[in-house]
Amino acid sequence: MAGFRIGRGRGSDNRPPQQQRPQQAPPPPYGPSHGQYGGAQGAPAYPPQQQWPPNGGGHPRQGRAPHGEPEYFGDPHPAADPYADNPGHTRAFSINEDPYGHAATYHAGSASAPVGPRLHWKELLRGIVMRPGPTFHQMRDYPVWGPALTVSFLYGLLAIFGFDQSREEVIKAPFTTALTSVLITGVFFVIGSLILGTVTHTLARQLGGDGSWQPTVGLSMLIMPLTDAPRLVFAMFLGGDNPLVQVVGWATWLAAGALFTSMVSKSHDLPWPKALGASAIQLIALLAIIKLGTI
C-alpha cells in the first residue's frame, strides 16, 4: 500500500544531510545585489563624495552624508568667503560682535548712561526758566518728585488768592475754615497736576515716545506752577479781572505750551508737532482751570 511518510527534522527531506539545499545569504543592507545606478554587483549604493577644489575658498573639502547633510573636512577656520553678503549667502559673526557697528543713538528711558549729573533743585528751577532745552535733556532720566511736589503744593496754597471771589471768601472766613480751604486747594492742585502729567506721558507714549513716566510727570508738575507764577502775583494784588493780569495770563500760557513741547520732545525723543499734541490736554486744562478760572 502506497503512502507518504511524514516525519520531523532531517528525515522529512528524504535526502542525506550533504544533499540538502544550502541557506541563502542575507540581502545587502542597501538594496539588491546589483548597483543602484545600473552598475555591476558589489558597486556602492551611493555615488562617491564630491570634493571641492583645494583653493576654491571656504571649506577645503565638502561632501554629502548618506542622508543629504553636508560634511566638512579640513581647517575649522576657513578663509574668508568671497560670496559673503551677496544675495543667497550669509556671513558668520563671532559672539559679542556687532555686525552693524556701535549704535550712537540715545533713547530716553533706556539703560544708556544719562547725559549729565542730576541737577540740584535750585539749578533745576533756574534751568527750566533760563535754559529749558538743555535742562530737560539732562534731566530726562532723573525723577524730580521732591521739587515737583513741593512747588506744586506751595502754588496750590496761593492759587486760591488769585481769584477775586475765592480770595474774599477766605479772608472773611474764620481762621480754621480758611486754613482748611487753603490746604485742600494745595492738595487738590498736586493731585490734579499729577493726573494731567500722567495723561501727557500716556499720549506721548501712544505717539511713539520712549520716555520714562517719573521724569515726564515730575517736570510737567513743575512747568504748570512756574509758568503761572507771574500771573498769580499780579492777580493777588490787582485782581483776576484786571487787563494786565489777563495779558500776563495769556503770555504765560503760551510760554507753558512752549515748555511742555520742549520737555516732551526731549524726554520722549519726539518731533515738536507730536510733543505739542501730547501736551494738548494738559494745556487746555491749565487754561480752563487756572488762567480763566471757569472750572
Side-chain angles (χ1 to χ4, degrees):
M1 178 176 175
F4 297 95
R5 181 180 181 181
I6 301 175
R8 293 181 179 272
R10 189 174 54 184
S12 63
D13 200 6
N14 294 329
R15 287 183 299 179
Q18 64 273 12
Q19 295 182 0
Q20 292 182 359
R21 181 181 301 176
Q23 296 181 355
Q24 296 181 356
Y30 296 103
S33 59
H34 56 79
Q36 183 179 359
Y37 295 93
Q41 182 177 2
Y46 292 91
Q49 295 178 349
Q50 181 181 3
Q51 297 182 356
W52 292 88
N55 297 325
H59 299 283
R61 290 195 299 119
Q62 181 180 8
R64 289 289 178 179
H67 297 283
E69 296 84 359
E71 292 183 349
Y72 299 95
F73 308 93
D75 187 7
H77 303 285
D81 187 1
Y83 300 100
D85 294 337
N86 289 336
H89 299 271
T90 58
R91 173 183 292 182
F93 299 95
S94 61
I95 301 176
N96 297 329
E97 180 182 356
D98 186 3
Y100 304 103
H102 298 285
T105 304
Y106 175 84
H107 297 284
S110 62
S112 303
V115 178
R118 182 195 297 268
L119 296 176
H120 190 263
W121 68 270
K122 294 181 180 179
E123 299 176 354
L124 175 61
L125 299 181
R126 188 184 306 113
I128 293 177
V129 178
M130 304 301 298
R131 40 190 296 270
T135 300
F136 295 144
H137 186 72
Q138 184 172 349
M139 295 297 293
R140 61 186 176 182
D141 286 322
Y142 294 109
V144 291
W145 291 119
L149 295 176
T150 302
V151 174
S152 299
F153 181 71
L154 292 177
Y155 175 86
L157 296 179
L158 301 175
I160 195 172
F161 298 99
F163 303 99
D164 298 337
Q165 182 178 358
S166 300
R167 182 175 62 253
E168 294 178 359
E169 293 177 356
V170 170
I171 293 176
K172 296 179 180 179
F175 177 77
T176 304
T177 304
L179 181 61
T180 303
S181 300
V182 170
L183 293 177
I184 291 176
T185 304
V187 173
F188 279 172
F189 185 82
V190 171
I191 297 176
S193 60
L194 179 63
I195 295 175
L196 292 176
T198 303
V199 171
T200 299
H201 170 76
T202 303
L203 291 177
R205 283 283 191 169
Q206 294 294 328
L207 294 176
D210 56 359
S212 301
W213 175 75
Q214 297 186 56
T216 303
V217 176
L219 292 174
S220 67
M221 293 176 65
L222 285 174
I223 292 175
M224 290 182 64
L226 290 179
T227 54
D228 193 60
R231 184 205 65 84
L232 180 60
V233 171
F234 284 104
M236 291 174 61
F237 297 98
L238 300 178
D241 296 333
N242 187 276
L244 179 61
V245 174
Q246 296 293 326
V247 172
V248 174
W250 283 105
T252 53
W253 182 75
L254 295 177
L259 290 180
F260 277 124
T261 302
S262 177
M263 184 271 295
V264 175
S265 177
K266 299 296 182 182
S267 299
H268 288 265
D269 294 326
L270 289 175
W272 73 265
K274 291 186 177 181
L276 179 60
S279 56
I281 295 180
Q282 191 166 7
L283 282 172
I284 295 175
L286 179 64
L287 177 64
I289 298 174
I290 297 178
K291 304 294 184 178
L292 301 179
T294 56
I295 299 179

